[in-house]
C-alpha cells in the first residue's frame, strides 16, 4: 500500500511528509545515488489514442529505498526533478 505524501525541496535536501501520519522524513542530497526518468507510454483504444503518456522519475537512495515522483501526484513535477538534479550533481 502506498502513502500519500508531500515533497518539499530545500537547499540541503528533500523533505517528505506523509499526509496520513504527518511523519516528516528529511533526505539529504548526499544520500541520493541517482535519479532515473522513464517515459510511460500513452493509452490507446479502438477509437484511437486516449492519453499521450508522461514521464515519471525514481530517486534511488543509498539506503536502498526508492522515491517515485510522478506528474500524476505532483503538479510541480518538473520543478521538483530539476531542483533535485541540480543539487545532486555536486
Amino acid at each position: 500500500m502506498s502513502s500519500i505524501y508531500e515533497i518539499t525541496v530545500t537547499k540541503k535536501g528533500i523533505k517528505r511528509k506523509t499526509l496520513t501520519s504527518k511523519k516528516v522524513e528529511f533526505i539529504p542530497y548526499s544520500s541520493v545515488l541517482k535519479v532515473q526518468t522513464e517515459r510511460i507510454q500513452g493509452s490507446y483504444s479502438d477509437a484511437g489514442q486516449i492519453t499521450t503518456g508522461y514521464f515519471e522519475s525514481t530517486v534511488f537512495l543509498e539506503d536502498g529505498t526508492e522515491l517515485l515522483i510522478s506528474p500524476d501526484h505532483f503538479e510541480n513535477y518538473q520543478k521538483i526533478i530539476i531542483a533535485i538534479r541540480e543539487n545532486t550533481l555536486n
Side-chain angles (χ1 to χ4, degrees):
M1 181 174 163
S2 65
S3 299
I4 298 173
Y5 54 89
E6 175 181 274
I7 290 180
T8 305
V9 179
T10 70
K11 290 182 179 182
K12 297 188 182 228
I14 305 160
K15 283 186 192 176
R16 179 171 65 174
K17 178 180 178 182
T18 304
L19 298 179
T20 53
S21 68
K22 305 293 185 207
K23 177 184 170 190
V24 177
E25 176 186 8
F26 182 75
I27 304 165
Y29 291 123
S30 60
S31 69
V32 175
L33 297 176
K34 69 177 178 174
V35 179
Q36 183 175 321
T37 301
E38 183 178 342
R39 176 146 170 61
I40 306 302
Q41 295 297 322
S43 301
Y44 295 88
S45 72
D46 292 338
Q49 188 173 16
I50 298 171
T51 63
T52 59
Y54 59 94
F55 289 93
E56 67 180 20
S57 297
T58 304
V59 179
F60 294 90
L61 304 174
E62 63 186 4
D63 68 359
T65 60
E66 300 173 6
L67 178 61
L68 178 66
I69 302 175
S70 166
D72 281 352
H73 300 114
F74 300 98
E75 288 181 17
N76 59 344
Y77 164 80
Q78 292 280 117
K79 290 181 181 179
I80 293 170
I81 295 303
I82 289 170
I84 292 171
R85 285 183 187 224
E86 286 177 350
N87 285 290
T88 58
L89 288 176
N90 300 329

